[in-house]
Amino acid sequence: MNFNFRDWILLTSIAGLMLLTDTEIAWAKPKEKKKFKVVKVQFEGNVHFEDDQLYKVMVSRPSTFFHKRYYHPSIYQDDLDYLVAYYQNAGFLQAEVSNHKVTIDSSNYTAKLEISVSEGKRTFVSGVRIAGNLAFSDAVILNRIPLKTGNPLEQEKFKKGVVNLVSLYADNGYLDASVDSERKLVEGENKAAVAYHITENNQSFISSIDYPGLEKTRPSIVRRELLFHPEEHINYSNLLKSQRKLYQTGLFKSVFIHPGDVVDSITWTRPVIIEVKEKPSREVTASIGYASIERARGMLELSSINLMGTARKATLLGKVSFIGYRGEAALTQPWTFGFPWRSKLSTLTEYRKEPGYKVNTNGVRANLKRSFFLNSSYTIGYRYERSNLHEVSVKVIPDEDRTNVRSIENVLILDSRDDLINTTNGSYFEITNDYAGRFLGGTNDFFRVEVTAKTFYSIGRHRTLSSRIILGYMDSPGGLNDIPLNERFYTGGPNSVRGFNYRYVGSIDDNGIPSGGRVKLVWNVIEYRRSVYKWIGASFFIDTGGIWSAAYHVNAKDIRIAPGFGVRANTPLGLVRIDFGTNPFYKSDESRAQVFFSVGQSF
């Protein structure tokens, strides 16, 4: 949308609301004592650890640009205890805080902390002794114990040895095994002897697998997700992994897998019990909303997630907005031909009104998807779509154009984000390519590849720095004119370069209509997100991007820059955002700024 007087009123109202909210908060709160910002923490006597390492142990660390720290006497006292514990856990058993001083500047409301540390001598492991192990050799046991002879006596590693040994035995059927640990200091020396005493007890085997709570889902659907079978010894890690796999099928509200009581004291067998609570098989999802591009929009989805107890999913989806509609029917099979490849067959009909043309599309898609790690996957698919472009106002393109695109698609996703909706930490990488060709029976030949990388970094409580880059390239034997308008690259708008109208970055023809291109760059250089008050948040961003008709036309001078800021609201129905993007280097036919109302983060 163009930035006009009404948008200025909207922006001013939002800013006023934020200021008013802050004012009301100040009025609502009782008068508080002045807080003293920690500006400096000085250590003395620390030889083995750098200042930065000790800062991480403390809450009362020096303030930074993004995160202010304040002096609280009780918290500061806890920090001193944490410092001593940190040293003792690292093997400095006689470490202590020998002296400390707090200097308060009442005029500037700042605090300086001075801490003197007496490290003492470090204690080292003189030897590691084990006893009671019959099922495993000494070499196997010692390999599971992080502490080695000559290592510093680190408490975390000492405790980790117990955890590792209990896990080793539990994964081999010794569910009742126990491990006792002890350390003995060598008098007159800075050394300690470490010992682990193991009580193995009996090895348990699986007698049967029981499914209480399983009503609609076939037992075979559950069994194919399991990593264990009857007559095997119980592997506790595999029980937990199987529990997670079953929950991720989406068929169950809850899953709990655990070993039952011993049923035969001679063979020491016991059942494995899989307690599940199934979800309703049929779901109806409906939503209505508003966004700057689609304006009013609605969605209705009818689905059956467990057809005849087979875990197959059938979906009917309908979407409608002021710029188009979409209908889709899909059938999803979690396992294909006995392998954990998710297959999906879908058919769609769609109409969209885009800048410069309108398009009706009907098609069929089929794909196979293999998930790995947590949220990562590889997908291979086939697409067959017939499109009718009409009311085309892009120069050099006929008023009507019919296309028949048949393509092979590949998608690789590597995802380590902590939250898929509102991410604060992690990264995301995706590479997508598709090859459309006449050899598949289509009317167009083109190759397309697009790479997306996102990174998110938490810089304190409710503060996140994020960045994203998208690189795209297309090629065709007939050049740009052989690539349909609805297959080309575009950018600009609420989810890319927010200082420009939807699709109005890059290749613009003589009629002022976006004509798309073969080379794409979108770089959201930085987006700083932070919480302002409860469910209200704010952001600052710098977006850049460009579209070029060919690789040899790429020029850094054509990259458009769009800094801006936004307001976020975490509502029960989802995250709502208003972004104000500016165009500092605007051209005569461009708006100086844009305001976008959208749902969800921009990336």
Side-chain angles (χ1 to χ4, degrees), residues 171-182:
D171 288 346
N172 286 274
Y174 295 89
L175 303 183
D176 300 317
S178 62
V179 179
D180 297 316
S181 60
E182 64 175 336

Side-chain angles (χ1 to χ4, degrees), residues 178-349:
S178 62
V179 179
D180 297 316
S181 60
E182 64 175 336
R183 64 178 192 183
K184 291 184 178 180
L185 299 178
V186 180
E187 189 175 351
E189 302 182 40
N190 297 307
K191 294 182 180 180
V194 174
Y196 295 90
H197 303 279
I198 302 168
T199 303
E200 294 181 339
N201 292 317
N202 294 300
Q203 186 179 24
S204 295
F205 294 84
I206 302 173
S207 60
S208 62
I209 301 176
D210 300 336
Y211 312 92
L214 200 64
E215 297 176 357
K216 294 171 289 186
T217 307
R218 298 179 183 179
S220 60
I221 301 302
V222 174
R223 283 197 297 268
R224 71 187 182 188
E225 302 290 342
L226 303 181
L227 301 176
F228 54 86
H229 305 282
E231 298 183 3
E232 295 178 347
H233 66 71
I234 295 178
N235 184 317
Y236 202 79
S237 292
N238 283 346
L239 300 189
L240 296 178
K241 292 176 183 177
S242 300
Q243 178 174 292
R244 183 174 188 172
K245 288 184 65 181
L246 281 175
Y247 184 77
Q248 289 179 333
T249 62
L251 301 175
F252 307 105
K253 292 181 180 179
S254 62
V255 181
F256 179 41
I257 301 180
H258 61 92
D261 296 331
V262 174
V263 295
D264 189 333
S265 58
I266 298 176
T267 58
W268 211 258
T269 55
R270 60 176 82 197
V272 170
I273 302 172
I274 303 176
E275 297 183 24
V276 298
K277 188 175 182 180
E278 294 176 309
K279 288 183 177 180
S281 296
R282 295 177 178 83
E283 294 180 349
V284 178
T285 306
S287 67
I288 58 173
Y290 178 87
S292 296
I293 305 303
E294 297 92 344
R295 291 182 284 175
R297 62 185 184 183
M299 184 273 289
L300 177 65
E301 182 181 43
L302 308 176
S303 61
S304 176
I305 64 171
N306 194 4
L307 284 173
M308 301 176 67
T310 63
R312 296 187 182 98
K313 181 178 181 179
T315 304
L316 291 175
L317 174 68
K319 294 182 178 180
V320 63
S321 72
F322 271 78
I323 65 169
Y325 61 81
R326 179 186 178 95
E328 181 177 344
L331 178 65
T332 304
Q333 168 80 4
W335 283 57
T336 305
F337 302 122
F339 295 96
W341 284 75
R342 180 179 295 268
S343 57
K344 181 178 180 180
L345 178 65
S346 61
T347 179
L348 66 90
T349 181

Side-chain angles (χ1 to χ4, degrees), residues 10-114:
L10 175 63
L11 180 64
T12 305
S13 300
I14 294 170
L17 179 61
M18 292 178 65
L19 290 174
L20 180 61
T21 302
D22 285 339
T23 304
E24 289 177 346
I25 295 168
W27 291 340
K29 286 184 177 180
K31 189 173 181 180
E32 296 179 349
K33 294 181 180 179
K34 290 291 184 180
K35 296 187 291 186
F36 299 97
K37 184 174 69 174
V38 178
V39 294
K40 185 178 181 180
V41 178
Q42 181 177 332
F43 291 103
E44 292 183 0
N46 54 311
V47 177
H48 289 84
F49 299 111
E50 301 290 338
D51 289 1
D52 288 342
Q53 292 175 276
L54 299 181
Y55 289 154
K56 294 178 181 179
V57 181
M58 303 176 61
V59 176
S60 310
R61 66 186 72 167
S63 298
T64 64
F65 179 78
F66 291 109
H67 201 164
K68 294 180 181 179
R69 303 280 182 166
Y70 295 97
Y71 168 71
H72 300 280
S74 60
I75 294 177
Y76 174 60
Q77 186 58 53
D78 289 340
D79 286 336
L80 298 180
D81 295 337
Y82 294 152
L83 283 173
V84 173
Y86 181 73
Y87 268 98
Q88 291 181 348
N89 284 334
F92 295 91
L93 304 185
Q94 289 81 37
E96 62 178 358
V97 174
S98 56
N99 194 18
H100 63 92
K101 179 182 178 183
V102 179
T103 303
I104 300 295
D105 185 342
S106 301
S107 58
N108 294 316
Y109 297 103
T110 60
K112 296 181 181 179
L113 312 180
E114 300 174 48

